[in-house]
Amino acid sequence: RCRRRTERLNAYMKVRQGTGRRSLVWKLFASVWLCVVLLLVFNWLLNSFALTGYYQNQKRDSLVRAFNSLNELYQISDEQAVEKLQQLSNNENISALICSRSRVIYSDRVDGMSIFPGGVLLHLPNFEPGEYTMEISGDERTDTQFILLQGRMTNGYWAILRTSVQ
């Protein structure tokens, strides 16, 4: 009788020990999985709400810096300004159109087509030299949004700069 109790107790303890190990492994797995899910949700919320405004402000600041540097360079040398425009296009993904009322001075081209489709020269705003405006505009054909800077440089040229919001 005593032996049976001991055997039952040992069997119970073995079952209990196995259950405890499985329970510990399960708790550890569930804790790690929960942490990963919470981290992903936090990153998604941060990206969706907090960083969007910061990112767009950085893009706007880069357009303003580009406009100011082009404004200075066009007073010194057209060749240096064109080099700067090509650098902006390659490094910062800023597309540019520089024009006067009657002709295009510089334009980025993509696949042989002007990146600023028809009618730009007709709708240039009447700014004082050094003034500019910024807006977010979209291209319905490609379903993309752009931050667009339009301004008049001190030499009388109009600069239209744009960069993708994405």
Side-chain angles (χ1 to χ4, degrees), residues 5-69:
R5 272 191 201 163
T6 306
E7 288 173 1
R8 273 192 245 158
L9 186 58
N10 285 340
Y12 175 74
M13 291 302 285
K14 284 183 183 178
V15 169
R16 194 78 174 123
Q17 286 175 352
T19 305
R21 283 187 191 149
R22 280 191 223 125
S23 177
L24 181 61
V25 170
W26 172 249
K27 287 178 184 176
L28 184 61
F29 173 76
S31 298
V32 169
W33 183 250
L34 181 65
C35 286
V36 168
V37 168
L38 289 175
L39 184 63
L40 288 173
V41 168
F42 174 74
N43 281 339
W44 176 75
L45 289 172
L46 187 67
N47 245 354
S48 297
F49 299 108
L51 295 179
T52 303
Y54 173 78
Y55 178 71
Q56 286 184 1
N57 284 337
Q58 292 297 323
K59 289 283 204 173
R60 285 186 174 109
D61 289 345
S62 71
L63 283 175
V64 170
R65 282 192 307 273
F67 176 77
N68 290 334
S69 92

Coordinates of all heavy atoms in Angstrom, one line a residue, residues 5-69:
R5 N 1.3 4.2 -3.1 CA 1.2 5.6 -2.9 C 2.4 6.3 -3.4 O 2.4 7.4 -4.0 CB 1.0 5.9 -1.4 CG -0.4 5.9 -0.9 CD -0.4 6.5 0.5 NE -1.7 6.0 1.0 CZ -1.9 6.0 2.3 NH1 -1.0 6.5 3.2 NH2 -3.1 5.6 2.8
T6 N 3.6 5.7 -3.1 CA 4.8 6.3 -3.6 C 4.9 6.3 -5.1 O 5.3 7.3 -5.7 CB 6.0 5.5 -3.0 OG1 5.9 5.4 -1.6 CG2 7.3 6.2 -3.3
E7 N 4.4 5.2 -5.7 CA 4.4 5.2 -7.2 C 3.5 6.2 -7.7 O 3.8 6.9 -8.7 CB 4.1 3.8 -7.6 CG 5.1 2.8 -7.4 CD 4.7 1.3 -7.7 OE1 3.5 1.2 -8.2 OE2 5.5 0.4 -7.6
R8 N 2.3 6.3 -7.1 CA 1.3 7.3 -7.6 C 1.9 8.7 -7.4 O 1.7 9.6 -8.3 CB 0.0 7.2 -6.9 CG -0.9 6.2 -7.5 CD -2.3 6.3 -6.9 NE -2.5 5.0 -6.2 CZ -3.4 4.9 -5.2 NH1 -4.1 5.9 -4.8 NH2 -3.6 3.7 -4.7
L9 N 2.5 9.0 -6.3 CA 3.1 10.3 -6.0 C 4.2 10.6 -7.0 O 4.3 11.7 -7.5 CB 3.6 10.3 -4.6 CG 4.1 11.7 -4.1 CD1 3.0 12.7 -4.2 CD2 4.6 11.6 -2.7
N10 N 5.0 9.6 -7.3 CA 6.1 9.8 -8.3 C 5.5 10.1 -9.7 O 6.0 10.9 -10.4 CB 7.0 8.6 -8.3 CG 8.0 8.6 -7.1 OD1 8.2 9.6 -6.4 ND2 8.5 7.4 -6.7
A11 N 4.5 9.3 -10.0 CA 3.9 9.5 -11.3 C 3.2 10.9 -11.4 O 3.4 11.6 -12.4 CB 2.8 8.4 -11.6
Y12 N 2.6 11.3 -10.3 CA 2.0 12.6 -10.3 C 3.0 13.7 -10.4 O 2.9 14.7 -11.1 CB 1.2 12.8 -9.0 CG 0.6 14.2 -8.8 CD1 -0.5 14.6 -9.6 CD2 1.2 15.1 -7.9 CE1 -1.0 15.8 -9.4 CE2 0.7 16.3 -7.7 CZ -0.4 16.7 -8.5 OH -0.9 18.0 -8.4
M13 N 4.2 13.5 -9.8 CA 5.2 14.5 -9.8 C 5.9 14.6 -11.2 O 6.2 15.7 -11.7 CB 6.3 14.2 -8.8 CG 5.8 14.4 -7.3 SD 5.3 16.0 -7.0 CE 6.8 16.9 -6.9
K14 N 6.0 13.4 -11.9 CA 6.5 13.5 -13.2 C 5.6 14.2 -14.2 O 6.1 15.0 -15.0 CB 6.7 12.0 -13.7 CG 8.0 11.4 -13.1 CD 8.1 10.0 -13.7 CE 9.3 9.3 -13.1 NZ 9.5 7.9 -13.6
V15 N 4.3 13.9 -14.0 CA 3.3 14.7 -14.9 C 3.4 16.1 -14.6 O 3.4 17.0 -15.4 CB 1.9 14.1 -14.7 CG1 0.9 14.9 -15.3 CG2 1.9 12.7 -15.2
R16 N 3.4 16.5 -13.3 CA 3.5 17.8 -12.9 C 4.7 18.6 -13.4 O 4.7 19.7 -13.8 CB 3.4 17.9 -11.3 CG 3.1 19.2 -10.8 CD 1.6 19.4 -10.9 NE 1.4 20.7 -10.1 CZ 0.9 21.7 -10.7 NH1 0.4 21.7 -11.9 NH2 0.7 22.8 -10.0
Q17 N 5.9 17.9 -13.3 CA 7.1 18.5 -13.8 C 7.0 18.7 -15.3 O 7.4 19.8 -15.8 CB 8.3 17.6 -13.5 CG 8.7 17.6 -12.0 CD 9.8 16.6 -11.7 OE1 10.2 15.8 -12.6 NE2 10.3 16.7 -10.5
G18 N 6.5 17.8 -16.1 CA 6.4 18.0 -17.5 C 5.5 19.1 -17.9 O 5.7 19.9 -18.7
T19 N 4.4 19.2 -17.2 CA 3.4 20.3 -17.4 C 4.0 21.6 -17.1 O 3.8 22.6 -17.8 CB 2.2 20.1 -16.5 OG1 1.6 18.8 -16.8 CG2 1.1 21.1 -16.8
G20 N 4.8 21.7 -16.0 CA 5.5 22.9 -15.6 C 6.5 23.4 -16.7 O 6.5 24.6 -17.0
R21 N 7.2 22.4 -17.3 CA 8.1 22.8 -18.3 C 7.4 23.3 -19.5 O 7.8 24.3 -20.1 CB 9.0 21.6 -18.7 CG 10.1 21.4 -17.7 CD 11.0 20.3 -18.1 NE 11.9 19.9 -17.0 CZ 12.4 18.7 -16.9 NH1 12.1 17.8 -17.7 NH2 13.2 18.4 -15.9
R22 N 6.4 22.6 -19.9 CA 5.6 23.1 -21.1 C 5.0 24.4 -20.8 O 4.9 25.3 -21.6 CB 4.5 22.1 -21.4 CG 5.1 20.9 -22.2 CD 3.9 20.1 -22.8 NE 4.3 18.7 -22.6 CZ 3.6 17.8 -21.9 NH1 2.4 18.1 -21.4 NH2 4.0 16.6 -21.8
S23 N 4.5 24.6 -19.6 CA 3.9 25.9 -19.2 C 4.9 27.0 -19.3 O 4.6 28.1 -19.8 CB 3.3 25.8 -17.9 OG 2.7 27.0 -17.5
L24 N 6.1 26.8 -18.8 CA 7.1 27.8 -18.8 C 7.5 28.2 -20.2 O 7.7 29.3 -20.6 CB 8.3 27.3 -18.0 CG 9.5 28.3 -17.9 CD1 9.0 29.6 -17.2 CD2 10.7 27.6 -17.2
V25 N 7.7 27.2 -21.1 CA 8.1 27.4 -22.5 C 6.9 28.2 -23.1 O 7.2 29.1 -23.9 CB 8.3 26.1 -23.2 CG1 8.5 26.3 -24.7 CG2 9.6 25.4 -22.7
W26 N 5.7 27.8 -22.9 CA 4.6 28.5 -23.5 C 4.5 30.0 -23.0 O 4.3 30.9 -23.8 CB 3.3 27.8 -23.2 CG 2.1 28.6 -23.6 CD1 1.2 29.2 -22.8 CD2 1.7 28.9 -24.9 NE1 0.2 29.8 -23.5 CE2 0.5 29.7 -24.9 CE3 2.2 28.5 -26.2 CZ2 -0.1 30.1 -26.0 CZ3 1.5 29.0 -27.3 CH2 0.4 29.8 -27.2
K27 N 4.7 30.2 -21.8 CA 4.7 31.6 -21.2 C 5.8 32.4 -21.8 O 5.6 33.6 -22.2 CB 4.8 31.6 -19.7 CG 3.6 31.1 -19.0 CD 3.8 31.1 -17.5 CE 2.5 30.5 -16.8 NZ 2.7 30.4 -15.4
L28 N 7.0 31.8 -22.0 CA 8.1 32.5 -22.6 C 7.8 32.9 -24.0 O 8.0 34.0 -24.5 CB 9.4 31.7 -22.4 CG 10.7 32.3 -22.9 CD1 10.9 33.6 -22.1 CD2 11.8 31.4 -22.8
F29 N 7.3 31.9 -24.8 CA 7.0 32.1 -26.2 C 5.9 33.2 -26.3 O 6.0 34.1 -27.1 CB 6.5 30.8 -26.8 CG 5.9 31.0 -28.2 CD1 6.8 31.1 -29.3 CD2 4.6 31.0 -28.4 CE1 6.3 31.3 -30.6 CE2 4.1 31.1 -29.7 CZ 5.0 31.3 -30.8
A30 N 4.9 33.1 -25.5 CA 3.8 34.1 -25.6 C 4.3 35.5 -25.2 O 3.9 36.5 -25.8 CB 2.6 33.7 -24.6
S31 N 5.2 35.6 -24.2 CA 5.7 36.9 -23.8 C 6.5 37.5 -25.0 O 6.4 38.7 -25.3 CB 6.6 36.8 -22.6 OG 5.8 36.3 -21.5
V32 N 7.4 36.7 -25.6 CA 8.2 37.2 -26.7 C 7.3 37.6 -27.9 O 7.5 38.7 -28.5 CB 9.3 36.2 -27.1 CG1 10.0 36.6 -28.4 CG2 10.3 36.0 -26.0
W33 N 6.4 36.8 -28.2 CA 5.5 37.1 -29.3 C 4.7 38.4 -29.0 O 4.5 39.2 -29.9 CB 4.5 35.9 -29.5 CG 3.6 36.1 -30.7 CD1 2.3 36.3 -30.6 CD2 3.9 36.1 -32.1 NE1 1.8 36.4 -31.9 CE2 2.8 36.3 -32.8 CE3 5.1 36.0 -32.8 CZ2 2.8 36.4 -34.2 CZ3 5.1 36.1 -34.1 CH2 3.9 36.3 -34.8
L34 N 4.2 38.6 -27.8 CA 3.5 39.8 -27.5 C 4.4 41.0 -27.6 O 3.9 42.0 -28.1 CB 2.9 39.6 -26.0 CG 2.1 40.8 -25.5 CD1 0.8 41.0 -26.4 CD2 1.7 40.6 -24.1
C35 N 5.6 40.9 -27.1 CA 6.5 42.0 -27.3 C 6.8 42.4 -28.7 O 6.8 43.6 -29.1 CB 7.9 41.7 -26.6 SG 7.8 41.7 -24.8
V36 N 6.9 41.4 -29.6 CA 7.1 41.7 -31.0 C 5.9 42.4 -31.6 O 6.0 43.3 -32.3 CB 7.5 40.4 -31.8 CG1 7.4 40.6 -33.3 CG2 8.9 39.9 -31.3
V37 N 4.7 41.9 -31.3 CA 3.5 42.5 -31.8 C 3.3 43.9 -31.4 O 3.0 44.8 -32.1 CB 2.3 41.6 -31.5 CG1 1.0 42.3 -31.8 CG2 2.3 40.3 -32.2
L38 N 3.6 44.1 -30.1 CA 3.5 45.5 -29.5 C 4.5 46.4 -30.2 O 4.2 47.6 -30.5 CB 3.6 45.5 -28.0 CG 2.4 44.9 -27.2 CD1 2.8 44.8 -25.8 CD2 1.2 45.7 -27.5
L39 N 5.7 46.0 -30.4 CA 6.7 46.8 -31.0 C 6.3 47.1 -32.5 O 6.5 48.3 -32.9 CB 8.0 46.0 -31.0 CG 9.2 46.8 -31.6 CD1 9.5 48.0 -30.7 CD2 10.5 45.9 -31.6
L40 N 5.8 46.2 -33.2 CA 5.3 46.4 -34.6 C 4.1 47.4 -34.6 O 4.1 48.3 -35.4 CB 4.9 45.1 -35.3 CG 6.0 44.2 -35.6 CD1 5.5 42.9 -36.2 CD2 6.9 44.8 -36.7
V41 N 3.2 47.3 -33.7 CA 2.1 48.3 -33.6 C 2.6 49.7 -33.3 O 2.2 50.6 -33.9 CB 1.0 47.8 -32.6 CG1 0.0 48.8 -32.3 CG2 0.3 46.5 -33.1
F42 N 3.5 49.7 -32.3 CA 4.1 51.0 -32.0 C 4.8 51.7 -33.1 O 4.6 52.9 -33.4 CB 5.0 50.9 -30.8 CG 5.8 52.1 -30.4 CD1 5.1 53.1 -29.7 CD2 7.1 52.3 -30.7 CE1 5.8 54.3 -29.4 CE2 7.8 53.4 -30.4 CZ 7.1 54.4 -29.7
N43 N 5.6 50.9 -33.9 CA 6.3 51.5 -35.0 C 5.3 51.9 -36.1 O 5.5 52.9 -36.8 CB 7.3 50.4 -35.6 CG 8.5 50.3 -34.8 OD1 8.9 51.2 -34.1 ND2 9.2 49.2 -34.9
W44 N 4.3 51.1 -36.3 CA 3.3 51.5 -37.3 C 2.6 52.8 -37.0 O 2.4 53.7 -37.8 CB 2.2 50.4 -37.5 CG 1.2 50.8 -38.5 CD1 1.2 50.9 -39.8 CD2 -0.2 51.2 -38.1 NE1 0.0 51.3 -40.3 CE2 -0.9 51.5 -39.3 CE3 -0.8 51.3 -36.9 CZ2 -2.2 51.9 -39.3 CZ3 -2.2 51.8 -36.9 CH2 -2.8 52.0 -38.1
L45 N 2.2 53.0 -35.7 CA 1.6 54.2 -35.2 C 2.5 55.4 -35.3 O 2.1 56.5 -35.7 CB 1.1 54.0 -33.8 CG -0.1 53.1 -33.6 CD1 -0.4 52.9 -32.1 CD2 -1.4 53.7 -34.2
L46 N 3.7 55.2 -34.9 CA 4.7 56.3 -35.0 C 4.9 56.7 -36.5 O 5.0 57.9 -36.8 CB 6.1 55.8 -34.4 CG 7.2 56.8 -34.3 CD1 6.8 57.9 -33.2 CD2 8.5 56.1 -33.9
N47 N 5.1 55.7 -37.4 CA 5.3 56.0 -38.8 C 4.1 56.7 -39.4 O 4.2 57.6 -40.2 CB 5.6 54.8 -39.6 CG 6.9 54.8 -40.1 OD1 7.6 55.7 -40.1 ND2 7.3 53.6 -40.7
S48 N 2.9 56.3 -39.0 CA 1.7 56.8 -39.6 C 1.3 58.2 -39.2 O 0.8 59.0 -40.0 CB 0.5 55.9 -39.3 OG 0.7 54.6 -39.9
F49 N 1.5 58.5 -37.9 CA 1.0 59.8 -37.4 C 2.1 60.8 -37.0 O 2.0 61.9 -37.3 CB 0.2 59.5 -36.2 CG -1.0 58.6 -36.5 CD1 -1.1 57.3 -36.1 CD2 -2.1 59.1 -37.3 CE1 -2.2 56.5 -36.4 CE2 -3.2 58.4 -37.6 CZ -3.2 57.1 -37.2
A50 N 3.2 60.3 -36.4 CA 4.2 61.3 -35.9 C 5.2 61.7 -36.9 O 5.6 62.8 -37.0 CB 4.8 60.7 -34.6
L51 N 5.7 60.7 -37.7 CA 6.8 61.0 -38.6 C 6.4 61.6 -39.9 O 7.2 62.2 -40.6 CB 7.6 59.7 -38.8 CG 8.3 59.2 -37.5 CD1 9.1 57.9 -37.8 CD2 9.2 60.2 -36.9
T52 N 5.1 61.5 -40.3 CA 4.7 62.1 -41.6 C 4.9 63.6 -41.6 O 5.5 64.1 -42.6 CB 3.2 61.7 -41.8 OG1 3.1 60.3 -41.8 CG2 2.8 62.2 -43.2
G53 N 4.5 64.3 -40.6 CA 4.7 65.7 -40.6 C 6.2 66.1 -40.6 O 6.6 67.1 -41.3
Y54 N 6.9 65.4 -39.8 CA 8.4 65.7 -39.7 C 9.0 65.5 -41.1 O 9.8 66.3 -41.6 CB 9.0 64.8 -38.7 CG 10.5 64.9 -38.7 CD1 11.2 65.9 -38.0 CD2 11.3 63.9 -39.3 CE1 12.5 66.0 -38.0 CE2 12.7 63.9 -39.2 CZ 13.3 65.0 -38.6 OH 14.7 65.1 -38.6
Y55 N 8.7 64.4 -41.8 CA 9.3 64.0 -43.1 C 8.9 65.1 -44.1 O 9.7 65.6 -44.9 CB 8.8 62.7 -43.5 CG 9.2 62.2 -44.9 CD1 10.6 61.9 -45.1 CD2 8.4 62.2 -45.9 CE1 11.0 61.5 -46.3 CE2 8.8 61.8 -47.2 CZ 10.1 61.5 -47.4 OH 10.6 61.1 -48.6
Q56 N 7.6 65.5 -44.1 CA 7.2 66.6 -45.1 C 7.9 67.9 -44.8 O 8.2 68.6 -45.7 CB 5.7 66.7 -45.1 CG 5.0 65.5 -45.8 CD 3.5 65.7 -45.9 OE1 3.0 66.7 -45.4 NE2 2.9 64.7 -46.4
N57 N 8.1 68.2 -43.5 CA 8.8 69.5 -43.2 C 10.3 69.4 -43.7 O 10.8 70.4 -44.2 CB 8.8 69.7 -41.7 CG 7.4 70.3 -41.3 OD1 6.7 70.8 -42.1 ND2 7.1 70.1 -40.0
Q58 N 10.9 68.3 -43.6 CA 12.2 68.1 -44.1 C 12.3 68.3 -45.6 O 13.2 68.9 -46.1 CB 12.8 66.7 -43.7 CG 13.1 66.5 -42.2 CD 14.1 67.5 -41.7 OE1 15.1 67.8 -42.4 NE2 13.9 68.0 -40.5
K59 N 11.3 67.7 -46.3 CA 11.2 67.9 -47.7 C 11.0 69.4 -48.1 O 11.6 69.9 -49.0 CB 10.1 67.1 -48.3 CG 10.3 65.6 -48.3 CD 11.3 65.2 -49.4 CE 11.1 63.8 -49.8 NZ 11.8 63.4 -50.9
R60 N 10.1 70.1 -47.4 CA 9.9 71.5 -47.7 C 11.2 72.3 -47.4 O 11.5 73.2 -48.2 CB 8.8 72.0 -46.8 CG 7.4 71.5 -47.2 CD 6.3 72.2 -46.4 NE 5.0 71.9 -46.9 CZ 4.2 71.1 -46.3 NH1 4.5 70.5 -45.2 NH2 3.0 70.8 -46.9
D61 N 11.9 72.0 -46.3 CA 13.1 72.7 -46.0 C 14.1 72.5 -47.1 O 14.9 73.4 -47.5 CB 13.7 72.3 -44.7 CG 12.9 72.8 -43.5 OD1 12.0 73.7 -43.7 OD2 13.1 72.2 -42.4
S62 N 14.2 71.3 -47.7 CA 15.2 71.0 -48.7 C 14.8 71.8 -50.0 O 15.7 72.3 -50.7 CB 15.3 69.5 -49.0 OG 14.2 69.0 -49.6
L63 N 13.5 71.9 -50.3 CA 13.1 72.7 -51.5 C 13.5 74.2 -51.3 O 13.9 74.9 -52.2 CB 11.6 72.6 -51.7 CG 11.1 71.3 -52.4 CD1 9.6 71.3 -52.4 CD2 11.7 71.2 -53.7
V64 N 13.3 74.7 -50.1 CA 13.6 76.1 -49.8 C 15.1 76.3 -49.9 O 15.6 77.3 -50.5 CB 13.1 76.6 -48.4 CG1 13.6 77.9 -48.0 CG2 11.5 76.6 -48.4
R65 N 15.9 75.4 -49.3 CA 17.3 75.5 -49.5 C 17.8 75.5 -50.9 O 18.6 76.3 -51.4 CB 18.0 74.4 -48.7 CG 18.1 74.7 -47.2 CD 19.0 73.7 -46.5 NE 18.8 72.3 -46.8 CZ 17.9 71.5 -46.2 NH1 17.2 72.0 -45.2 NH2 17.8 70.3 -46.5
A66 N 17.1 74.6 -51.7 CA 17.5 74.5 -53.1 C 17.1 75.8 -53.9 O 17.9 76.3 -54.7 CB 16.7 73.3 -53.8
F67 N 16.0 76.4 -53.6 CA 15.5 77.6 -54.2 C 16.5 78.8 -53.9 O 17.0 79.5 -54.7 CB 14.1 78.0 -53.8 CG 13.7 79.3 -54.3 CD1 13.2 79.4 -55.6 CD2 13.6 80.5 -53.5 CE1 12.8 80.7 -56.1 CE2 13.2 81.7 -54.0 CZ 12.8 81.8 -55.3
N68 N 16.9 78.9 -52.6 CA 17.8 79.9 -52.2 C 19.2 79.8 -52.8 O 19.8 80.7 -53.3 CB 17.9 80.0 -50.7 CG 16.6 80.5 -50.0 OD1 15.9 81.2 -50.6 ND2 16.4 80.1 -48.8
S69 N 19.7 78.5 -52.9 CA 21.0 78.3 -53.5 C 21.0 78.6 -55.0 O 21.9 79.1 -55.5 CB 21.6 77.0 -53.1 OG 21.3 76.0 -54.1

